[in-house]
Amino acid sequence: EVQLVESGGGIVQPGGSLRLSCAASGFRFSSYSIHWVRQAPGKGLEWVSYISTSGASRHYADSVKGRFTISRDNAKDSVFLQMNGLTAEDTAVYYCARDWDGGKLDWGQGTLVTVSS
Amino acid sequence: EVVMTQSPATLSVSPGERATLSCRVSQSVSGNLAWYQQKPGQAPRLLIYAASKRAAGIADRFSGSGSGTEFTLTISSLQSEDFAVYYCQQYNNWPLITFGGGTKVEIK
């Protein structure tokens, strides 16, 4: 069974940093690219970032470019999202999602990030 | 940037009735479109990909159609478990994927 488990969310002050993790199991992790997608409270889905199978290719939404960094450790079946310079607009549930065929996604359950003073 | 517009924002339907949801895209995405269902407190779940192919385990009352810039998700006879929010997503510009704003299907 495909499982993606996010962790690392919490409450952080504006300007602060958080590092999200996504632990994968039930599939050959190194063969799949991964996305992060977020959802602000009561709002829709917003794509955040992408990383290829090897980590060589990375992409970011304009709203997070220069502040967020995606990475992965294939030896540990994990993906990470380092988030710096957080603002209230970054408050959301963050999902990691396995890309199984050029854009179709299997999702984790998400982790909540709240940016508040 | 590919912009995706879903309509209506909210659809009120009685159980057993048909629901038709629309997704319009600002530029052609060919057939590279998926639909997801999201229930409160849960992650989205893939229903349809390639505009019309049902994902594994999805009931046949869910069907998708369209190509280019106009797409439709139809739920033929709404069951109680189908009341949820539905999102369309394009992957023609993969890996830069985009989601629509969602349609909430509520009980009439």
Side-chain angles (χ1 to χ4, degrees), chain A residues 33 35 37 39 43-47 50 59-60 95 99-105 107-109, chain B residues 34 36 38 41-46 49-50 55 87 89 91 94-101:
Chain A
S33 55
H35 299 263
V37 178
Q39 186 170 37
K43 302 298 184 181
L45 302 169
E46 179 189 14
W47 174 78
Y50 160 90
H59 295 272
Y60 301 93
Y95 296 99
D99 185 320
W100 57 266
D101 185 23
K104 299 84 163 179
L105 306 182
W107 303 66
Q109 284 304 303
Chain B
Y36 295 84
Q38 187 179 34
Q42 296 185 17
R45 176 178 70 143
L46 178 67
Y49 64 96
Y87 294 95
Q89 173 229 328
Y91 49 90
W94 182 86
L96 306 183
I97 60 177
T98 317
F99 297 92

Side-chain angles (χ1 to χ4, degrees), chain A:
Chain A
E1 179 192 4
V2 172
Q3 279 206 317
L4 298 161
V5 179
E6 301 90 339
S7 61
I11 302 174
V12 61
Q13 291 188 339
S17 299
L18 273 180
R19 188 190 194 218
L20 305 184
S21 300
C22 171
S25 61
F27 63 99
R28 187 173 180 174
F29 179 75
S30 59
S31 296
Y32 292 86
S33 55
I34 301 290
H35 299 263
W36 285 96
V37 178
R38 68 184 180 183
Q39 186 170 37
K43 302 298 184 181
L45 302 169
E46 179 189 14
W47 174 78
V48 173
S49 185
Y50 160 90
I51 189 165
S52 62
T53 54
S54 67
S57 177
R58 311 179 192 197
H59 295 272
Y60 301 93
D62 288 345
S63 58
V64 307
K65 201 171 293 183
R67 300 187 298 123
F68 289 13
T69 302
I70 192 171
S71 61
R72 68 188 294 161
D73 184 341
N74 284 342
K76 295 184 177 179
D77 292 351
S78 294
V79 176
F80 308 98
L81 188 68
Q82 177 67 42
M83 305 186 297
N84 299 330
L86 287 162
T87 73
E89 287 66 43
D90 297 314
T91 293
V93 174
Y94 284 74
Y95 296 99
C96 70
R98 180 183 79 152
D99 185 320
W100 57 266
D101 185 23
K104 299 84 163 179
L105 306 182
D106 294 318
W107 303 66
Q109 284 304 303
T111 187
L112 176 62
V113 172
T114 302
V115 184
S116 174
S117 56

Side-chain angles (χ1 to χ4, degrees), chain A residues 45 107, chain B residues 34-40 42-48 58 61-62 73 75 78-88 103 105:
Chain A
L45 302 169
W107 303 66
Chain B
W35 291 92
Y36 295 84
Q37 177 193 66
Q38 187 179 34
K39 296 179 181 179
Q42 296 185 17
R45 176 178 70 143
L46 178 67
L47 296 176
I48 300 287
I58 300 303
R61 63 181 180 273
F62 292 93
L73 174 69
I75 311 171
L78 270 158
Q79 306 298 302
S80 57
E81 61 267 30
D82 301 335
F83 292 97
V85 180
Y86 294 83
Y87 294 95
C88 58
T103 290
V105 178

Side-chain angles (χ1 to χ4, degrees), chain B residues 44-80:
Chain B
R45 176 178 70 143
L46 178 67
L47 296 176
I48 300 287
Y49 64 96
S52 61
K53 297 182 179 180
R54 273 188 300 276
I58 300 303
D60 60 7
R61 63 181 180 273
F62 292 93
S63 63
S65 63
S67 66
T69 62
E70 300 278 348
F71 299 87
T72 299
L73 174 69
T74 301
I75 311 171
S76 59
S77 176
L78 270 158
Q79 306 298 302
S80 57

